[in-house]
Amino acid sequence: GKNDLQTEADRSAQRCIVTSLSRQFPSVTIIGEEGTSNCEVPSDWVVTDSDPQILQLACPDEYQNIQDDDIVVWVDPLDGTSEYTQGLLDHVTVLIGIAVGDRAVGAGPDDMGRTLWGIRGVGVGGFEPQSPPQGKRIITTTRSHSTAAVQAALDALQPDEILRVGGAGHKVMLLMEGKAHAYVFASAGCKRWDTCAPEAILVAMGGQLTDMHGNSYSYSRDTPHQNTGGVLACTGNTIERGLIWKFVGRPSDGAE
């Protein structure tokens, strides 16, 4: 559809990711944006190796004895498809989020050849966390899905600068690398596969991602896919300085 693009790149990337994971972990639930596919995957698409540096990390005690059926992997094979079709590749990420129970606990998104990862209780890697500039209020939000409610939320924050970019993963990366103070999207436009991986990394570095009322999203296998309460995210430094706001009223009614 015109407003919900899907490309052969989306489908191919998902087949590669899902097949590679399911062959190694056949009992783990994997939910991908592009649905299921019975297409055969070329053998050279299947990834079987692992990063030895990650495997040397100490696993937190709470994850030592989890079972395969406790795990759900949320896959967005091409986050920012609209921007991908326009050649804006710096907006595009590949998101693989790992949830245990209902919490996003680990992730490995890929951006322009970089692999960024995070694990709750362990830390992050693949990038250098940075604090956003002091004395300013920089907000990032959607580039192509704005509504009156989204604009009302932005206006309420009285930002010094608004970064309108594509891809949920890309917007959270702007927070992690100190280019924005908060990610605000007062709309039900994104899904669990958009936020599971970014949330896991953001939380692993001390940040937070919730709906517009401060409620956490569940990532269990039977949860609805749509993030109906919008997205409000910020880094730990932003929380400490008080630059995260509580919104009053439903997102569809605007914000105070």
Side-chain angles (χ1 to χ4, degrees), residues 163-179:
L163 305 178
R164 298 181 186 275
V165 301
H170 179 52
K171 285 188 272 289
V172 174
M173 285 172 54
L174 294 180
L175 306 184
M176 298 189 297
E177 297 188 316
K179 298 174 183 176

Side-chain angles (χ1 to χ4, degrees), residues 8 18 29 33 39 41 61 65 70 76-78 106 127 144 162 167 172 178 187 190 197 205 211 225 247:
E8 183 59 33
V18 171
T29 298
E33 180 180 17
C39 295
V41 174
D61 291 343
N65 298 310
D70 297 327
D76 189 340
L78 208 64
F127 70 103
S144 53
I162 298 176
V172 174
S187 173
C190 66
M205 62 171 280
D211 69 10
H225 293 170
F247 287 88

Side-chain angles (χ1 to χ4, degrees), residues 120-206:
R120 286 191 192 227
V122 175
V124 298
F127 70 103
E128 189 66 36
Q130 300 287 336
S131 298
Q134 297 187 27
K136 297 183 70 176
R137 185 174 298 171
I138 304 172
I139 308 298
T140 184
T141 192
T142 181
R143 173 178 174 268
S144 53
H145 300 289
S146 189
T147 65
V150 171
Q151 190 58 49
L154 297 172
D155 292 343
L157 302 180
Q158 300 178 350
D160 297 294
E161 184 178 355
I162 298 176
L163 305 178
R164 298 181 186 275
V165 301
H170 179 52
K171 285 188 272 289
V172 174
M173 285 172 54
L174 294 180
L175 306 184
M176 298 189 297
E177 297 188 316
K179 298 174 183 176
H181 295 86
Y183 164 23
V184 178
F185 185 46
S187 173
C190 66
K191 312 290 196 304
R192 296 296 200 274
W193 43 71
D194 293 309
T195 54
C196 183
E199 179 181 338
I201 299 180
L202 190 63
V203 170
M205 62 171 280

Side-chain angles (χ1 to χ4, degrees), residues 5-207:
L5 302 175
Q6 184 187 95
T7 69
E8 183 59 33
D10 292 84
R11 294 187 289 271
S12 296
Q14 178 156 308
R15 293 202 301 271
C16 170
I17 294 165
V18 171
T19 301
S20 297
L21 289 173
S22 60
R23 288 192 183 180
Q24 295 188 69
F25 311 103
S27 300
V28 167
T29 298
I30 304 173
I31 302 175
E33 180 180 17
E34 311 310 333
T36 59
S37 172
N38 296 321
C39 295
E40 192 67 28
V41 174
S43 58
D44 59 350
W45 285 18
V46 180
V47 179
T48 58
D49 58 340
S50 302
D51 187 328
Q53 292 184 320
I54 302 295
L55 295 179
Q56 290 174 8
L57 297 172
C59 180
D61 291 343
E62 62 184 308
Y63 307 140
Q64 291 281 357
N65 298 310
I66 59 176
Q67 304 299 311
D68 283 359
D69 58 7
D70 297 327
I71 299 172
V72 180
V73 181
W74 294 86
V75 176
D76 189 340
L78 208 64
D79 181 41
T81 300
S82 178
E83 285 69 29
Y84 173 77
T85 64
Q86 299 171 54
L88 302 172
L89 300 185
D90 57 327
H91 295 229
V92 179
T93 53
V94 175
L95 304 177
I96 304 174
I98 303 165
V100 174
D102 61 358
R103 292 199 311 167
V105 302
D110 177 90
D111 167 70
M112 293 295 287
R114 297 189 297 167
T115 298
L116 290 71
W117 60 267
I119 306 171
R120 286 191 192 227
V122 175
V124 298
F127 70 103
E128 189 66 36
Q130 300 287 336
S131 298
Q134 297 187 27
K136 297 183 70 176
R137 185 174 298 171
I138 304 172
I139 308 298
T140 184
T141 192
T142 181
R143 173 178 174 268
S144 53
H145 300 289
S146 189
T147 65
V150 171
Q151 190 58 49
L154 297 172
D155 292 343
L157 302 180
Q158 300 178 350
D160 297 294
E161 184 178 355
I162 298 176
L163 305 178
R164 298 181 186 275
V165 301
H170 179 52
K171 285 188 272 289
V172 174
M173 285 172 54
L174 294 180
L175 306 184
M176 298 189 297
E177 297 188 316
K179 298 174 183 176
H181 295 86
Y183 164 23
V184 178
F185 185 46
S187 173
C190 66
K191 312 290 196 304
R192 296 296 200 274
W193 43 71
D194 293 309
T195 54
C196 183
E199 179 181 338
I201 299 180
L202 190 63
V203 170
M205 62 171 280

